[in-house]
Amino acid sequence: MKLLNKIENLILNKNTTMLGVGPMSKNVVDSAIELSNKNKVPIMLIASRRQIECKELGGGYCNNWTTEEFSKYVKKKDKLNQIILCRDHGGPWQGNPDRERNLDIKKSMIDAKKSFMADIDNGFKIIHIDPSISNTGKLIPKEIIIKRLFHLYEFVVDYAKKSGKEILVEIGTEEQSGSTGTYEDLEDFLGSMKTFVNKKKLNFPTFIVIQSGTKVMETRNIGSFESPIRIKSEIPVEIQIFKVLEICKKYNIFMKEHNADYLNDDSLSWHPRIGIHATNVAPEYGVAETKALISIFEKYGDIKSRDEFISLAYKSKKWSKWMINKKDLKKDLNKAEIAGHYIFTNKDVIKLKKNFLQKQSISETFLNNFLKKNIKKSITRYLTNFNLI
Amino acid sequence: MKLCAIILNRNLPKVTDQLYKNLKKNNKAIDIFVVEAGSDEKNLSKHTTWHANWDEAKINGLRYARGFNFALSNMYKEKIFYKYDAYILLTNDTYFHDYKIENKITQIFKKHKKLAILSPCSNSWGEKKTIMNKEKLKYFWYIHNNAYIIKTSFLNEIKNLDQPGHINFLFDGNNFRGYGLESELIMKAYANDKAAAITTEIIAEENQNYLLKFSEKIKTEKYDENLDLYIKEGMKWMHKKYGFKSKWSMQMFVKVFYDKFFTTNSRLKQYKL
């Protein structure tokens, strides 16, 4: 239980909020590793299945890495062993949608298990199990989600045990743990989790994802965390956070907040003081890199490259799920900034960057250092406010 | 239990009179007063009791805090303040799903002796899902509402008699738009070993359409502008008065008193959220 002790020490003794960084690109991964090693502070790299996936299932969009390659890369670069590899939202239909759209539950569960096995084989330490989404967009009944969760939980823990690996588990999604339900629902959920692990003689999960008034849309946090007015049907965050933390304490589980991107410094600095145990941040870092890339095109007067990149990012439509107004299809810079990191491994973007470097006689290292400087600024904001450095 | 309702009006006489009528029709024993927050002469309610008609009030209005300070301090000066056991403070855009509230309020206060502040719930509040007990009531450390029912004995304990008027009495009228004042009020309740509750026994809503559609008629800022000023002024007030730079400081402050309340009143733990 070395890792668990390390986490408990950070959260309970040092009063920090742990940071999970989404691997949005190779530069984001490098920035997180370099910062964690420079400051000797653990950072969780929280890979979704779309970002990083095992070889058998085709890899992910982040640097086209497979789980195996990603793990090998991180371990080699992480000299001080500060990075905690984590799976974020593992489970059925959480992988590449183009591949998984037409899979039935049986096949998607098989894929989810393959993905988890590769995670464990390759040194992932925290596995988030989230079977809450469907391939049709239809809501899955809570009972079915819990049944699948328990099935995958047992599978993951058993596989880790057989492989001789230490593994910690994260459970919950906003849907199944507090936001839309009642505190009784949350207690029921944790209670049934407790019954399940006791019956199976398994360890209780380490983290639970609970909604805490954060929601990212476009390049803003539009949740209730910073909102002075009521949000329909939501419990004010002033009540929600304290209450769920009480419940977490009762069940001896850490609360993990998702989607804390773009919260202001005041809100972030209150995280450790309120006692929020851990937080995931992802798109903000991708957007920071994209903005930096666009700005360097402008700095060197290469408007053609800038416009071409903006066009490619816009055409990718990867911005669409982040838009508040789904009917807003107009091409603009903001959409390109949102979608940019999804297309860094696109052939046309690689070619565009290569041409830019040649034209301007600058090295790839210089460009990456510039991009990382901007990403690191964004990550450092969280490390500082979370009392980690 | 003798109840008094005070309705705050600013230039919407029809809306105010309708609320007055609905309340009166359903609660014969509740006395109702109307305070005009700088309304124009032509826009006074038929039932106006007091009219804040000085220039500043006419230009900027009084808002919740100053409006009810003005009304309550007038009652105090007119020596009718102690005639009532509790005050129902309502903005004119409030509407109840069931206007028969007198007995419900009386029953709740009769049962909950420590209760100082009672808030109706709204169907659109997330809190509604958390109040599933038989009594339909839970004690809270944060209640954001425009309709509070406050017990006179508590008002008496916390009243500020330093030049009572629209600035001083119940609320700190220096905070004009009132961001943070509800937390200060609840903090004062728990700090005085009293409680604040939300009940789903009474459902009230705020009709925000009036503010969104009739801001010019009401003579107030547009919704977004008002919201921006509400936060800015409230944070400035919070910093000046308490040295707090964040809403979270205020929340933790109130929560400390809330938790302490249940250590000294353990028999009330069933109402703890």
Side-chain angles (χ1 to χ4, degrees):
Chain A
M1 297 310 249
K2 244 167 79 182
L3 178 61
L4 184 60
N5 291 340
K6 193 173 171 181
I7 288 171
E8 283 176 344
N9 184 43
L10 263 175
I11 295 172
L12 302 175
N13 299 335
K14 295 190 175 169
N15 292 313
T16 66
T17 298
M18 286 187 73
L19 176 65
V21 172
M24 317 309 285
S25 69
K26 181 174 177 287
N27 278 326
V28 171
V29 171
D30 286 344
S31 300
I33 300 171
E34 286 165 22
L35 279 174
S36 73
N37 278 248
K38 184 185 160 202
N39 295 293
K40 296 189 179 70
V41 61
I43 290 180
M44 298 177 284
L45 272 179
I46 46 142
S48 71
R49 287 183 60 201
R50 285 165 202 179
Q51 287 160 340
I52 305 285
E53 181 63 287
C54 61
K55 192 178 173 189
E56 195 185 336
L57 299 177
Y61 76 76
C62 173
N63 204 37
N64 288 330
W65 270 324
T66 63
T67 305
E68 296 81 355
E69 290 163 342
F70 171 68
S71 165
K72 203 170 156 191
Y73 179 84
V74 173
K75 282 178 192 165
K76 192 177 169 194
K77 202 172 158 68
D78 176 25
K79 305 285 183 209
L80 299 182
N81 198 23
Q82 295 290 347
I83 291 294
I84 304 166
L85 290 178
C86 308
R87 170 60 66 199
D88 193 29
H89 296 285
W93 293 305
Q94 297 278 14
N96 183 340
D98 293 335
R99 185 194 144 80
E100 293 202 325
R101 196 171 290 131
N102 300 316
L103 295 185
D104 61 20
I105 181 61
K106 202 172 164 189
K107 284 180 182 154
S108 67
M109 284 290 265
I110 291 169
D111 272 10
K113 287 178 185 175
K114 281 179 186 166
S115 180
F116 284 138
M117 287 194 286
D119 292 345
I120 295 163
D121 290 343
N122 288 283
F124 280 50
K125 300 287 184 196
I126 303 174
I127 303 284
H128 177 205
I129 305 171
D130 176 9
S132 69
I133 65 161
S134 69
N135 57 340
T136 57
K138 278 186 189 165
L139 283 178
I140 304 177
K142 199 165 70 178
E143 299 72 22
I144 294 177
I145 295 175
I146 290 175
K147 195 177 155 198
R148 286 176 190 164
L149 169 70
F150 288 172
H151 177 77
L152 290 171
Y153 194 100
E154 191 175 9
F155 174 82
V156 162
V157 176
D158 272 357
Y159 186 77
K161 200 175 168 187
K162 279 178 200 154
S163 311
K165 302 281 175 75
E166 182 194 0
I167 202 88
L168 302 177
V169 181
E170 176 180 336
I171 56 167
T173 69
E174 288 82 347
E175 289 73 27
Q176 72 194 53
S177 57
S179 155
T180 52
T182 65
Y183 299 125
E184 282 81 8
D185 284 345
L186 176 60
E187 290 225 35
D188 285 351
F189 173 57
L190 286 169
S192 55
M193 191 77 220
K194 191 137 220 150
T195 310
F196 168 74
V197 297
N198 287 345
K199 190 177 156 197
K200 299 281 180 180
K201 295 190 172 55
L202 306 171
N203 287 328
F204 200 62
T206 307
F207 289 102
I208 178 165
V209 184
I210 303 181
Q211 176 54 250
S212 57
T214 55
K215 184 176 182 179
V216 177
M217 290 304 274
E218 299 178 4
T219 50
R220 287 186 287 148
N221 203 305
I222 61 158
S224 59
F225 202 97
E226 289 175 350
S227 170
I229 51 163
R230 282 188 173 278
I231 294 182
K232 202 177 172 197
S233 299
E234 278 193 23
I235 297 168
V237 68
E238 290 87 347
I239 298 169
Q240 170 78 354
I241 288 194
F242 293 111
K243 186 61 198 169
V244 295
L245 282 168
E246 264 176 36
I247 298 171
C248 287
K249 195 175 174 188
K250 183 177 161 187
Y251 283 88
N252 201 19
I253 189 167
F254 292 129
M255 172 195 170
K256 183 101 149 324
E257 173 188 66
H258 280 198
N259 310 312
D261 311 65
Y262 310 112
L263 288 178
N264 65 39
D265 284 352
D266 180 58
S267 298
L268 296 180
S269 71
W270 274 95
H271 275 55
R273 282 188 275 177
I274 292 169
I276 296 170
H277 304 120
T279 290
N280 283 358
V281 179
E284 182 182 326
Y285 304 139
V287 170
E289 182 172 359
T290 302
K291 280 183 174 175
L293 182 64
I294 291 169
S295 80
I296 203 165
F297 288 145
E298 286 170 350
K299 194 175 160 189
Y300 282 83
D302 194 343
I303 304 308
K304 193 173 167 257
S305 292
R306 181 199 69 180
D307 291 348
E308 211 177 317
F309 176 77
I310 291 172
S311 270
L312 288 167
Y314 173 76
K315 279 181 196 160
S316 74
K317 293 192 176 159
K318 295 287 185 188
W319 42 266
S320 60
K321 76 164 183 171
W322 299 103
M323 299 312 291
I324 296 171
N325 176 7
K326 298 289 178 200
K327 286 179 187 162
D328 175 9
L329 306 173
K330 185 174 86 230
K331 182 180 170 182
D332 60 30
L333 179 62
N334 192 239
K335 293 191 183 78
E337 287 171 347
I338 295 166
H341 68 271
Y342 291 100
I343 60 158
F344 286 156
T345 50
N346 173 318
K347 306 200 288 269
D348 293 332
V349 175
I350 292 169
K351 199 173 148 196
L352 186 151
K353 274 165 94 175
K354 204 172 160 189
N355 288 343
F356 167 73
L357 295 175
Q358 271 175 357
K359 259 193 291 179
Q360 305 303 333
S361 301
I362 52 176
S363 70
E364 193 174 2
T365 310
F366 175 85
L367 172 67
N368 285 334
N369 283 342
F370 175 79
L371 299 176
K372 284 193 291 182
K373 191 179 149 193
N374 285 276
I375 298 163
K376 284 179 182 175
K377 195 176 161 194
S378 183
I379 299 177
T380 303
R381 196 168 77 84
Y382 289 85
L383 295 176
T384 310
N385 284 310
F386 287 174
N387 209 18
L388 287 161
I389 56 174
Chain B
M1 194 171 193
K2 184 69 182 160
L3 299 175
C4 170
I6 303 174
I7 304 170
L8 182 69
N9 177 43
R10 180 163 169 87
N11 291 322
L12 291 178
K14 280 186 187 165
V15 177
T16 304
D17 292 343
Q18 190 59 50
L19 176 60
Y20 184 103
K21 193 178 153 191
N22 289 338
L23 276 173
K24 197 72 202 165
K25 192 173 142 192
N26 291 286
N27 307 277
K28 303 282 182 227
I30 295 184
D31 288 347
I32 307 171
F33 298 87
V34 173
V35 56
E36 298 288 350
S39 303
D40 295 338
E41 294 295 336
K42 59 176 186 189
N43 286 328
L44 298 179
S45 155
K46 282 194 283 190
H47 308 284
T48 296
T49 318
W50 308 282
H51 185 193
N53 56 1
W54 54 92
D55 287 348
E56 196 207 346
K58 282 195 161 180
I59 295 164
N60 298 320
L62 287 184
R63 311 298 161 107
Y64 198 86
R66 290 185 181 180
F68 290 113
N69 275 349
F70 181 60
L72 290 164
S73 62
N74 279 334
M75 297 191 77
Y76 185 78
K77 288 170 195 167
E78 291 164 21
K79 301 197 188 309
I80 51 171
F81 178 72
Y82 295 108
K83 203 175 139 187
Y84 301 98
D85 298 299
Y87 285 90
I88 307 162
L89 309 181
L90 304 169
T91 49
N92 57 358
D93 54 0
T94 308
Y95 66 93
F96 292 89
H97 286 243
D98 176 2
Y99 281 87
K100 286 185 180 133
I101 59 173
E102 188 185 357
N103 284 345
K104 289 174 184 169
I105 295 170
T106 304
Q107 289 307 316
I108 290 169
F109 278 116
K110 205 170 155 187
K111 165 107 199 247
H112 295 266
K113 304 284 182 210
K114 290 271 182 181
L115 199 59
I117 303 161
L118 178 65
S119 166
C121 196
S122 154
N123 280 334
S124 66
W125 291 3
E127 293 93 313
K128 196 176 175 210
K129 292 175 288 192
T130 71
I131 309 170
M132 304 301 278
N133 56 345
K134 201 178 154 194
E135 281 184 63
K136 300 181 178 178
L137 178 143
K138 288 267 182 186
Y139 293 179
F140 282 77
W141 61 87
Y142 178 79
I143 305 172
H144 183 58
N145 199 1
N146 270 347
Y148 293 106
I149 303 152
I150 306 179
K151 229 169 147 180
T152 309
S153 55
F154 170 62
L155 280 172
N156 188 46
E157 272 188 86
I158 64 161
K159 67 182 184 300
N160 180 357
L161 293 180
D162 180 14
Q163 295 179 305
H166 66 289
I167 299 295
N168 290 334
F169 196 78
L170 168 59
F171 296 105
D172 184 348
N174 292 306
N175 182 354
F176 177 54
R177 284 175 177 79
Y179 178 65
L181 285 179
E182 71 279 358
S183 291
E184 187 185 46
L185 182 69
I186 294 166
M187 179 272 291
K188 284 180 182 176
Y190 287 108
N192 284 289
D193 197 34
K194 304 277 188 307
I198 298 176
T199 180
T200 52
E201 191 67 51
I202 305 168
I203 302 291
E205 312 286 352
E206 180 191 0
N207 190 341
Q208 286 195 337
N209 282 336
Y210 297 127
L211 193 56
L212 289 167
K213 287 183 187 167
F214 304 120
S215 61
E216 279 181 23
K217 188 177 179 193
I218 300 170
K219 290 194 175 174
T220 189
E221 296 91 2
K222 292 220 162 19
Y223 183 82
D224 289 342
E225 192 186 346
N226 182 51
L227 192 61
D228 188 43
L229 289 167
Y230 170 66
I231 312 292
K232 277 186 187 151
E233 291 174 3
M235 288 312 304
K236 204 173 160 187
W237 165 83
M238 220 181 268
H239 185 243
K240 192 177 170 189
K241 189 164 183 176
Y242 293 96
F244 294 163
K245 286 191 283 184
S246 166
K247 71 171 179 180
W248 291 104
S249 307
M250 182 58 110
Q251 286 318 308
M252 290 189 91
F253 187 42
V254 185
K255 183 76 168 39
V256 167
F257 285 113
Y258 176 85
D259 290 335
K260 189 75 192 156
F261 176 84
F262 291 99
T263 60
T264 49
N265 297 281
S266 54
R267 68 191 165 78
L268 296 171
K269 269 192 179 157
Q270 58 181 307
Y271 303 108
K272 191 171 191 258
L273 188 63

